[in-house]
Amino acid sequence: MTATVDDDLWSAVGDPTRRRMLDLLLAAGDGTATSLSEQLPVTRQAIAKHLGVLDRVGLVHATPAGRERRYRVDEAQLARAVAQLSSVGAAWDARLRRIKRIAEAIQRTKDQQK
């Protein structure tokens, strides 16, 4: 694999609520815990905790906006996550091709023994 896999990053995006939050933030450009909680079946407090996780891994950045904080997706960090996913996917594709070749070789050997 060419990219180093960041377990904290993948743990953060492994949660479906956080992935949906990223989708909403990308679509809107930014958002607050309140605006996200209005669009998701999750409390504002839970949204705030999820945003904290996303912030710790660098996927979102917050700026103060009155009594709330506005969150934006860090597109460079998101691109890093996508690159990691592509790298992991390519590695698994290569493994599966090797397994298929081994299985085909075993089958040919069995067919020749008949």
Side-chain angles (χ1 to χ4, degrees), residues 66-85:
R67 292 182 6 201
E68 290 205 85
R69 297 169 60 87
R70 294 203 74 76
Y71 291 86
R72 292 183 74 73
V73 174
D74 182 319
E75 293 185 19
Q77 184 73 331
L78 185 59
R80 183 174 159 243
V82 170
Q84 286 181 19
L85 180 60

Side-chain angles (χ1 to χ4, degrees), residues 2-21:
T2 58
T4 302
V5 175
D6 182 335
D7 291 334
D8 291 335
L9 177 66
W10 284 105
S11 178
V13 296
D15 182 275
T17 299
R18 289 193 282 264
R19 287 194 307 272
R20 181 70 179 124
M21 290 168 57

Side-chain angles (χ1 to χ4, degrees), residues 70-111:
R70 294 203 74 76
Y71 291 86
R72 292 183 74 73
V73 174
D74 182 319
E75 293 185 19
Q77 184 73 331
L78 185 59
R80 183 174 159 243
V82 170
Q84 286 181 19
L85 180 60
S86 295
S87 177
V88 169
W92 274 103
D93 286 344
R95 289 178 184 130
L96 291 172
R97 284 191 300 273
R98 284 193 302 270
I99 291 168
K100 181 180 178 188
R101 284 193 304 270
I102 291 167
E104 288 170 345
I106 291 169
Q107 187 60 47
R108 278 192 304 274
T109 301
K110 286 181 179 179
D111 291 344

Side-chain angles (χ1 to χ4, degrees), residues 39-84:
Q39 300 175 68
L40 295 167
V42 181
T43 66
R44 186 201 172 287
Q45 291 77 15
I47 293 291
K49 287 181 181 182
H50 284 299
L51 286 167
V53 171
L54 293 172
D55 189 39
R56 277 193 300 281
V57 298
L59 281 169
V60 298
H61 296 291
T63 54
R67 292 182 6 201
E68 290 205 85
R69 297 169 60 87
R70 294 203 74 76
Y71 291 86
R72 292 183 74 73
V73 174
D74 182 319
E75 293 185 19
Q77 184 73 331
L78 185 59
R80 183 174 159 243
V82 170
Q84 286 181 19

